[in-house]
Amino acid sequence: MMAAFLDMGGYAAFVWPAWLLSAAILVAVSVSSVRRLRALERELAEAEGGRDPHS
Amino acid sequence: MNWHRYASPANFKRLSDRLLPWAAGGAALFLAAGVWSGLVVSPADYQQGETVRIMYVHVPAAWMSMFVYANMAVAAAAALVWRHPLAEVAGRAIAPVGAAFTFLCLVTGSLWGKPMWGTWWVWDARLTSVLILFFVYLAYMALNAAFDEPERGARASAVLALVGAINLPVIKFSVDWWNTLHQPASVTRLDAPAIDPSMLAPLLAMAIGFTLFFVAVAFVRIRAELVERRLEALRHARVAGEAAAERT
Amino acid sequence: MSAALALVARDVRLALRTPAETLTILAFFVIAATLFAFGIGPEPQALARVATGIVWVVALLACLISLDRLFQAEADDGSLDQLVLAPAPLELLVLAKCLAQWLTTALPLVVVSPLVATMLQLSPHGYATLLASLLLGTPSLTLFGAVGAALAVGARKGGALLALIVLPLYVPVLIFAVAAVEASIAGLSPRPHLFLLAGLAVFALTLAPFAASAALRQASE
Amino acid sequence: MESTPTAGLEGRALACRRGGRTVFRALDLAAAPGDLLVLRGANGTGKSSLLRLLAGLLAPSDGRLAWDGEAVDEDPAAHRRRVAYVGHNDALKPTLTLAEHMRFHAALRAVPGDACAAALDAFGLGALAGVPARFLSQGQRRRAALARLVAAPAALWLLDEPTNGLDAASVEALARAVARHRASGGIVVAATHLEFAGASARTLTLGAA
């Protein structure tokens, strides 16, 4: 049964890349966004920590 | 109602901390349901066979490419008309996400078209319109990054977002016109088959999943933009501070 | 109103004082078309089939590359401030700039287009409609191009930025224009396509001045 | 009953954000007809930004700018009619002659015919009317910009370093023009280091905080 599922009626070469690309894009967008936010917040903490943050 | 208070990173952080978990959790839930129903439960199409499963990512991606652009156009209007600081930042933050969905729509469209027509790219009216929308996203991001001063880039690209929003229907109409003119009888439109209920469920699940994903990522990216804007201001202040120190 | 007419007169005089700029655009138009001939081959039937598309795409690109100095030159020498501060509405002055640009660039392109069409073996039935489509289509190219040029004022020098902004807006113009010429070549009436082209020109006429003015006001902040 | 609205230009708690930073904040200024307000302050303290703000090129991020008591942004076209702004560069097209520049300026600002010739003579440019701008020196280019300023029927003159590149005689000509403009009830706001102002000039120093 598993083989049939993976084979996708002979269209495995099209269905799986489509879904895998979707997953890849979702992961790439979310990871890059979160990592960017963390890095910037760390940088802000240093910048504001170093001096008294005004208004 | 003073929206301005959300423009400061701290306030916006509180807002996003409350809503982000719900959006991210919802997205995970709906995407899981979509994958399960799309790949396993729903039947193959009597005509297209298993390739119809590509539709469950292709069509939601198309919807998202337009939904994100609509958000950008609204943010652009808010930025230009009310000079709202949050709106200026939002456009720049979500454009790459919209472009990513548009790219996904194009590639999955090509993967869907290949088994049916034997070519990787079909000049189908809708696919071509999505291609042009992709160019508009690229133009928006290029213009946004083309100025030394981020605020100048944000406002210039906001004008482009609105000009794009007004022109997209005209472009869509002209592409449809062009498509019907050159319509060889044999190539049927790249149409989703008549959606029967069992296929609607995964489609909606994926669409809602993508939308909630977009909301979650938008919160994260807008927060990042606000923090970056704050850093920019601190750097300016330090430079101005130095200049003042030199003068005394 | 006299301010706008004075601006058209000034810009046309400026263009006549430096004819090299216009001639360069025309040279580009002809050379780019010949490149397609080298690419597709000299065989008349092959060229004739794609002639309309090539003439129009190359005319469109020639119009595009003539636009990046439209407002940047004004910004560089300080004239942009004076235009933005003029009592006359900026939208009217933008229209004047576009009219002058159309007269000094697009019109010469239209005049030269039969030469290029002949080189590309365009069918004789297409010439009249080609000229009509260029006359009706180039105003939209100039107006939408002006929006792109205004948005790019002060941007870091990126040659392709203007093209990336403006080319999506050029798609409807190209589609309707080429459809008109192809229709008349096929013996059908080009009128529906030409009407759409004219409609597009009116659409551009109403949208572009406001978008370009908004961009210019931002540029002079 | 609100006091009679103060004639001329009045700015209250003006703030300006430019290039991502606050150039100045909570700035008050007033200039009645006949006044000359000189802006002092080091580079980068916002002199040019303030002038562009007063001209209406730059919207204040806070505060209120009024003319004869009425907010300026209520009738931008009227404000544009009353402002003559001379920035850092001189708005000259190399291939156009001075006369052509003046004729265009006249059409743009609805300047009466004879005023152009008089303005050129006032700055000693009468003889150069037929000369294309690319032949002019830095000082002559500056005087061409000031000639167009003088010709325009504008109540509010906004001058950004007007004396850059001017020789003594031209500075003198500018001083006379400013005096004449003030005498006729005009207002001049200028960012400059020179003491060309002569009598009764008020000073606003920026960046003093």
Side-chain angles (χ1 to χ4, degrees):
Chain A
M1 212 286 278
M2 194 53 193
F5 172 70
L6 284 184
D7 181 45
M8 279 294 166
Y11 292 115
F14 306 106
V15 176
W16 287 116
W19 282 80
L20 291 174
L21 178 67
S22 309
I25 284 183
L26 293 187
V27 167
V29 167
S30 45
V31 166
S32 67
S33 304
V34 169
R35 193 179 291 153
R36 178 164 178 260
L37 176 62
R38 292 251 167 73
L40 283 168
E41 281 187 329
R42 221 177 302 114
E43 208 179 324
L44 182 63
E46 278 155 27
E48 284 191 329
R51 288 170 51 260
D52 57 346
H54 45 75
S55 78
Chain B
M1 220 300 250
N2 172 7
W3 279 97
H4 285 256
R5 58 188 161 76
Y6 282 129
S8 82
N11 295 344
F12 188 81
K13 184 178 189 311
R14 265 192 298 279
L15 174 75
S16 75
D17 282 350
R18 256 205 328 267
L19 298 177
L20 184 56
W22 290 98
L29 206 67
F30 276 96
L31 288 176
V35 168
W36 174 254
S37 59
L39 283 179
V40 178
V41 172
S42 70
D45 179 63
Y46 64 93
Q47 241 184 352
Q48 298 179 14
E50 301 292 341
T51 59
V52 75
R53 297 188 194 288
I54 299 177
M55 177 181 72
Y56 300 138
V57 279
H58 173 67
V59 173
W63 288 340
M64 287 310 296
S65 67
M66 287 173 273
F67 175 71
V68 172
Y69 194 89
N71 277 279
M72 277 164 54
V74 168
L80 291 175
V81 173
W82 298 293
R83 284 244 165 146
H84 188 286
L86 202 56
E88 266 175 23
V89 160
R92 170 212 289 270
I94 61 178
V97 183
F101 275 123
T102 314
F103 174 75
L104 177 63
C105 175
L106 291 170
V107 173
T108 49
S110 161
L111 284 168
W112 195 9
K114 171 71 174 164
M116 263 181 274
W117 286 292
T119 60
W120 285 108
W121 177 254
V122 177
W123 286 98
D124 158 73
R126 270 197 307 235
L127 215 52
T128 312
S129 302
V130 171
L131 179 66
I132 295 174
L133 177 60
F134 186 59
F135 295 149
V136 176
Y137 271 111
L138 297 184
Y140 177 94
M141 291 189 285
L143 185 59
N144 202 296
F147 295 88
D148 303 328
E149 195 202 299
E151 275 182 25
R152 174 80 176 83
R155 276 203 299 278
S157 46
V159 172
L160 179 61
L162 288 182
V163 167
I166 297 169
N167 272 282
L168 280 174
V170 176
I171 293 172
K172 177 83 175 76
F173 170 78
S174 68
V175 169
D176 288 345
W177 176 280
W178 168 78
N179 200 269
T180 47
L181 272 180
H182 299 274
Q183 186 68 65
S186 65
V187 177
T188 55
R189 279 169 61 88
L190 184 73
D191 239 338
I195 307 262
D196 71 50
S198 67
M199 292 184 181
L200 199 55
L203 205 58
L204 283 182
M206 290 301 286
I208 298 170
F210 276 4
T211 308
L212 290 174
F213 171 85
F214 161 66
V215 168
V217 166
F219 272 125
V220 172
R221 295 184 70 86
I222 291 175
R223 245 171 74 187
E225 289 295 330
L226 288 174
V227 167
E228 192 169 33
R229 194 60 71 87
R230 183 94 189 89
L231 274 169
E232 188 91 359
L234 283 178
R235 282 194 202 100
H236 277 298
R238 188 168 308 127
V239 165
E242 245 93 59
E246 281 151 23
R247 275 202 306 282
T248 52
Chain C
M1 196 47 196
S2 69
L5 294 179
L7 182 52
V8 175
R10 185 202 74 166
D11 271 18
V12 168
R13 183 174 300 121
L14 270 173
L16 294 177
R17 292 267 167 84
T18 53
E21 267 169 49
T22 309
L23 294 178
T24 323
I25 304 290
L26 294 182
F28 168 82
F29 183 36
V30 177
I31 294 169
T34 43
L35 287 183
F36 277 95
F38 291 127
I40 293 169
E43 208 273 324
Q45 269 66 32
L47 279 175
R49 224 168 58 70
V50 290
T52 317
I54 295 174
V55 171
W56 245 98
V57 167
V58 176
L60 178 148
L61 293 178
C63 211
L64 177 71
I65 60 172
S66 72
L67 280 162
D68 63 2
R69 295 298 298 165
L70 186 63
F71 294 117
Q72 187 61 54
E74 307 282 6
D76 293 345
D77 65 33
S79 307
L80 186 59
D81 288 343
Q82 302 305 328
L83 291 179
V84 173
L85 284 178
L90 185 55
E91 287 74 12
L92 196 60
L93 297 177
V94 163
L95 270 182
K97 288 284 292 178
C98 290
L99 176 59
Q101 174 74 10
W102 187 77
L103 290 171
T104 56
T105 310
L107 220 47
L109 284 176
V110 174
V111 167
V112 167
S113 61
L115 165 74
V116 173
T118 313
M119 275 171 27
L120 295 172
Q121 319 294 335
L122 182 72
S123 142
H125 306 298
Y127 281 78
T129 313
L130 176 68
L131 290 178
S133 66
L134 282 168
L135 284 172
L136 275 174
T138 42
S140 305
L141 299 184
T142 307
L143 285 159
F144 285 132
V147 174
L151 285 169
V153 166
R156 275 194 288 270
K157 229 32 239 121
L161 178 67
L162 182 63
L164 198 55
I165 293 173
V166 167
L167 287 183
L169 308 178
Y170 279 4
V171 164
V173 182
L174 179 62
I175 286 174
F176 295 143
V178 171
V181 183
E182 295 286 337
S184 55
I185 291 176
L188 303 169
S189 157
R191 288 166 61 86
H193 312 291
L194 291 176
F195 280 139
L196 281 169
L197 210 52
L200 209 54
V202 171
F203 170 69
L205 209 57
T206 46
L207 170 68
F210 298 98
S213 301
L216 290 177
R217 287 194 189 95
Q218 286 177 6
S220 52
E221 272 202 349
Chain D
M1 208 276 284
E2 210 222 58
S3 69
T4 58
T6 51
L9 190 66
E10 192 205 1
R12 194 165 306 126
L14 291 171
C16 167
R17 272 183 61 79
R18 203 158 176 231
R21 67 184 176 88
T22 305
V23 176
F24 53 77
R25 199 201 318 268
L27 183 123
D28 295 328
L29 69 85
D35 270 3
L36 164 60
L37 184 62
V38 175
L39 304 180
R40 291 265 191 266
N43 290 341
T45 51
K47 295 198 300 292
S48 294
S49 299
L50 177 58
L51 283 169
R52 292 181 78 87
L53 188 144
L54 297 178
L57 288 170
L58 180 59
S61 54
D62 207 351
R64 182 174 180 277
L65 186 65
W67 176 268
D68 292 348
E70 189 210 327
V72 155
D73 46 29
E74 262 151 38
D75 186 355
H79 190 61
R80 292 202 304 268
R81 260 190 300 279
R82 69 170 74 99
V83 161
Y85 171 77
V86 173
H88 291 304
N89 29 39
D90 307 318
L92 291 173
K93 300 292 179 187
T95 53
L96 289 185
T97 67
L98 266 186
E100 284 164 342
H101 278 106
M102 289 305 283
R103 203 176 314 130
F104 173 62
H105 183 71
L108 200 65
R109 307 289 314 189
V111 172
D114 54 358
C116 286
L120 279 180
D121 292 337
F123 284 93
L125 294 168
L128 300 171
V131 172
R134 59 190 165 88
F135 293 107
L136 300 177
S137 71
Q138 169 66 11
Q140 288 163 335
R141 293 168 63 88
R142 200 65 189 154
R143 280 152 48 199
L146 294 176
R148 279 173 287 177
L149 165 80
V150 168
L156 175 59
W157 285 8
L158 300 170
L159 313 177
D160 200 341
E161 305 294 348
T163 53
N164 272 2
L166 286 190
D167 54 32
S170 312
V171 169
E172 204 42 58
L174 177 60
R176 277 198 308 277
V178 164
R180 239 191 343 272
H181 182 63
R182 291 174 59 191
S184 66
I187 298 175
V188 180
V189 181
T192 181
H193 303 291
L194 282 181
E195 285 303 331
F196 79 97
S200 72
R202 295 208 333 280
T203 307
L204 172 65
T205 306
L206 288 159

